[in-house]
Amino acid sequence: MKQLELAVAADGVSAVLHRVMNASWNGYRKGRGMPTTKQTFANRTEGPIYVSVEPWPECFELEPGEKMTLSWNMPTDGDAMLVEFINSRELVVWPNGEIDDIQYLMNGEPAPDRSWTLKHR
């Protein structure tokens, strides 16, 4: 199974794309289930950052050292995600594919309840 990791960094915010596997589409065609992809965002700054997930109005605040991972069924073609850097503290992400059952993880734990739970304003 092939794995490609792509790292994008801007002002201490890193995004790592995990498990983009061309081989997984062969498994899907053979009835093994829809292949998934993951995108992890790590806050390596000294203050909070904000990650908005569209098209839903979800917004997550990441404290320094926290990581947020999104996991969803990947698209059959095209980009798995568009990341827009609004400024050094704000990202807007647009996952592509079957995103109705997207999973939100904070530091490896399920965290759908963290959306719009903001400590800083």
Side-chain angles (χ1 to χ4, degrees):
M1 186 178 295
K2 295 179 182 178
Q3 179 173 334
L4 171 70
E5 283 195 13
L6 171 67
V8 180
D11 296 329
V13 178
S14 67
V16 180
L17 180 63
H18 299 279
R19 297 188 188 144
V20 177
M21 297 169 276
N22 290 333
S24 65
W25 277 110
N26 291 331
Y28 173 66
R29 286 191 279 272
K30 294 177 183 174
R32 294 187 198 143
M34 179 64 95
T36 61
T37 187
K38 292 182 180 180
Q39 178 79 41
T40 299
F41 301 91
N43 182 0
R44 295 185 180 140
T45 68
E46 294 182 11
I49 64 167
Y50 302 88
V51 179
S52 297
V53 182
E54 298 293 342
W56 308 283
E58 301 287 358
C59 183
F60 295 87
E61 180 179 71
L62 279 68
E63 294 288 343
E66 284 192 310
K67 292 181 181 181
M68 181 179 82
T69 301
L70 305 177
S71 178
W72 70 98
N73 291 332
M74 62 191 292
T76 56
D77 61 358
D79 295 332
M81 174 180 280
L82 170 67
V83 178
E84 296 176 323
F85 291 86
I86 304 302
N87 57 45
S88 64
R89 300 268 184 223
E90 296 178 69
L91 305 172
V92 177
V93 298
W94 297 83
N96 187 20
E98 292 187 21
I99 55 177
D100 290 338
D101 295 325
I102 194 168
Q103 295 177 0
Y104 304 95
L105 305 170
M106 283 291 211
N107 302 313
E109 299 294 324
D113 57 330
R114 285 279 303 263
S115 181
W116 295 106
T117 304
L118 310 177
K119 296 178 185 175
H120 308 275
R121 300 263 175 193

